[in-house]
């Protein structure tokens, strides 16, 4: 299964879970402050591992899939894994959270980390150019962050 197929499956499963668990399609354990801190911690961790073109989008007003998307570029599969591990470690230390699932970490050109309220996309440049996630979610509010 390609990472794109895993992504579609993950998004569909995540949407069904959120919808099934709450008729208002609002996650019961989603705290806006924790969601934002998780997204910012992911961005900082990615920056520490020399990720490029780090983008944090607040999608809570336009999607029920998550509150935030973090989209970053890495330049090799090894760097994708290092960025993913750094994000996981930093969020676990700072916020005592673990990802619900991770896809593409072993051999993918796109690593997807699902924290429920935050979804992190770590892509090689070719994948990012091809899938154009920031264009698809371009109407979302961009969150400014500092390393």
């Amino acid at each position: 299964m390609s990472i794109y197929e895993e992504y579609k499956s993950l998004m569909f499963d995540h949407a069904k879970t959120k919808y099934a668990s709450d008729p208002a399609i609002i996650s019961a354990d989603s705290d806006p402050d924790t969601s934002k801190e998780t997204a910012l911690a992911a961005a900082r961790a990615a920056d520490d591992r020399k990720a490029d073109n780090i983008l944090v989008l607040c999608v809570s007003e336009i999607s029920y899939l998550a509150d935030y998307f973090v989209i970053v570029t890495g330049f090799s599969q090894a760097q994708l894994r290092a960025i993913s591990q750094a994000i996981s470690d930093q969020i676990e230390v700072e916020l005592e959270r673990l990802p619900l699932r991770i896809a593409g970490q072993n051999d993918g050109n796109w690593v997807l980390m699902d924290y429920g309220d935050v979804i992190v996309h770590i892509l090689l440049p070719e994948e990012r150019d091809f899938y154009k996630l920031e264009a698809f979610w371009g109407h979302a509010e961009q969150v400014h962050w500092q390393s």
Side-chain angles (χ1 to χ4, degrees):
M1 179 182 305
S2 75
I3 188 68
Y4 180 69
E5 290 166 336
E6 285 186 57
Y7 172 68
K8 287 189 333 187
S9 173
L10 178 76
M11 292 298 99
F12 182 71
D13 290 347
H14 188 74
K16 286 193 312 188
T17 302
K18 283 187 111 173
Y19 184 77
S21 67
D22 187 19
I25 312 177
I26 298 172
S27 176
D29 61 350
S30 178
D31 173 26
D33 292 332
T34 302
S35 297
K36 186 172 185 179
E37 282 305 310
T38 301
L40 296 176
R44 288 190 305 271
D47 186 56
D48 287 346
R49 290 288 177 230
K50 307 296 185 220
D52 191 38
N53 198 11
I54 300 168
L55 184 63
V56 179
L57 298 175
C58 178
V59 296
S60 61
E61 298 295 320
I62 59 173
S63 174
Y64 59 88
L65 297 176
D67 294 335
Y68 290 89
F69 281 175
V70 180
I71 306 170
V72 308
T73 300
F75 296 100
S76 68
Q77 289 181 342
Q79 187 185 21
L80 297 184
R81 287 189 299 274
I83 292 167
S84 172
Q85 190 62 54
I87 290 170
S88 182
D89 291 347
Q90 187 154 336
I91 291 174
E92 183 177 3
V93 167
E94 284 185 24
L95 302 168
E96 298 179 349
R97 297 185 69 184
L98 295 172
L100 300 173
R101 48 186 97 64
I102 299 175
Q105 194 170 32
N106 293 330
D107 58 356
N109 297 333
W110 178 358
V111 177
L112 185 107
M113 304 177 73
D114 179 9
Y115 283 90
D117 53 349
V118 176
I119 299 175
V120 180
H121 304 270
I122 311 164
L123 302 103
L124 290 175
E126 303 81 30
E127 302 297 315
R128 189 159 179 178
D129 289 343
F130 182 79
Y131 289 107
K132 300 183 186 318
L133 295 177
E134 56 267 45
F136 185 78
W137 296 101
H139 51 293
E141 174 190 348
Q142 187 171 346
V143 177
H144 298 284
W145 65 278
Q146 292 183 335
S147 57

